């Protein structure tokens, strides 16, 4: 017979946790670890609960949306396109231990990513690419973020004026 309630102390893998999570009983699990796919696939019964889910490796925004519903807290490296990252909910972004863009970010997208207070600047990584006018209108602090010492800011205009070129050169 399956007991009515199971309380576990310590950390479990996703596979171990899934054995205990049943529709009939009630399992209270402190920490469950696994890949983004494994954690996303966890099936909890109506009265099951997990205090913390820890993803080993990266999670996309789509995976993270599901992961945050599995435990009271979650942690993962959020790795996706700048568009997906900047459009992700605050709950998805704030549960990340690191945010990494897999492509270039515009200044507007970078501003959204930098605003995530729960993730330090050093753990928020992206490469900037925007128009000359947007770059020139930005504060220097917005241009010196991203990949810290290896920061690259790319102008995406096919052509710019001589005045814009001169002003951009002074930022280098």
């Amino acid at each position: 017979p399956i007991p009515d309630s199971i309380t576990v102390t310590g950390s479990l893998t996703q596979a171990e946790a899934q054995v205990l999570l049943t529709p009939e009983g009630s399992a209270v699990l402190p920490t469950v670890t696994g890949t983004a796919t494994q954690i996303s696939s966890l099936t909890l019964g109506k009265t099951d609960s997990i205090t913390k889910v820890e993803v080993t490796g990266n999670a996309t925004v789509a995976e993270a949306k599901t992961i945050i519903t599995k435990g009271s807290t979650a942690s993962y490296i959020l790795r996706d396109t700048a568009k997906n990252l900047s459009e992700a909910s605050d709950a998805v972004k704030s549960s990340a231990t690191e945010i990494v863009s897999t492509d270039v970010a515009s200044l507007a997208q970078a501003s959204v990513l930098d605003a995530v207070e729960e993730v330090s600047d050093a753990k928020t990584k992206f490469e900037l690419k925007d128009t000359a006018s947007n770059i020139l209108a930005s504060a220097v602090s917005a241009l010196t973020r991203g990949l810290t010492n290896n920061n690259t800011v790319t102008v995406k205009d096919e052509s710019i004026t001589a005045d814009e070129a001169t002003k951009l050169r002074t930022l280098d």
Side-chain angles (χ1 to χ4, degrees):
I2 297 174
D4 291 339
S5 178
I6 298 171
T7 301
V8 175
T9 58
S11 183
L12 299 169
T13 66
Q14 175 272 342
E16 294 165 332
Q18 193 58 73
V19 170
L20 300 174
L21 298 169
T22 64
E24 299 84 22
S26 176
V28 178
L29 309 178
T31 303
V32 177
T33 61
T35 65
T37 301
Q38 291 170 331
I39 297 296
S40 295
S41 70
L42 279 172
T43 303
L44 280 70
K46 290 180 184 178
T47 58
D48 291 335
S49 68
I50 301 172
T51 304
K52 182 176 186 174
V53 292
E54 294 179 346
V55 173
T56 54
N58 300 319
T60 65
V61 169
E63 290 169 327
K65 286 178 187 178
T66 302
I67 291 165
I68 64 173
T69 67
K70 303 298 180 176
S72 300
T73 63
S75 66
Y76 43 78
I77 296 171
L78 191 59
R79 186 179 184 90
D80 211 322
T81 65
K83 178 184 185 305
N84 289 345
L85 292 170
S86 64
E87 293 175 355
S89 71
D90 289 342
V92 164
K93 291 183 289 213
S94 65
S95 291
T97 56
E98 189 171 336
I99 297 174
V100 181
S101 177
T102 58
D103 62 358
V104 295
S106 69
L107 284 161
Q109 291 166 330
S111 176
V112 170
L113 300 180
D114 269 341
V116 180
E117 293 179 9
E118 296 81 1
V119 182
S120 71
D121 286 352
K123 297 280 188 174
T124 305
K125 300 173 183 176
F126 52 82
E127 187 175 321
L128 290 170
K129 184 174 185 177
D130 214 319
T131 64
S133 60
N134 285 347
I135 292 168
L136 291 171
S138 296
V140 171
S141 61
L143 302 174
T144 56
R145 278 284 302 111
L147 299 173
T148 58
N149 293 336
N150 297 318
N151 200 38
T152 301
V153 179
T154 305
V155 177
K156 71 178 188 178
D157 298 313
E158 290 188 27
S159 63
I160 58 174
T161 66
D163 183 50
E164 287 173 324
T166 301
K167 289 177 180 174
L168 287 168
R169 187 71 181 134
T170 63
L171 292 175
D172 192 13

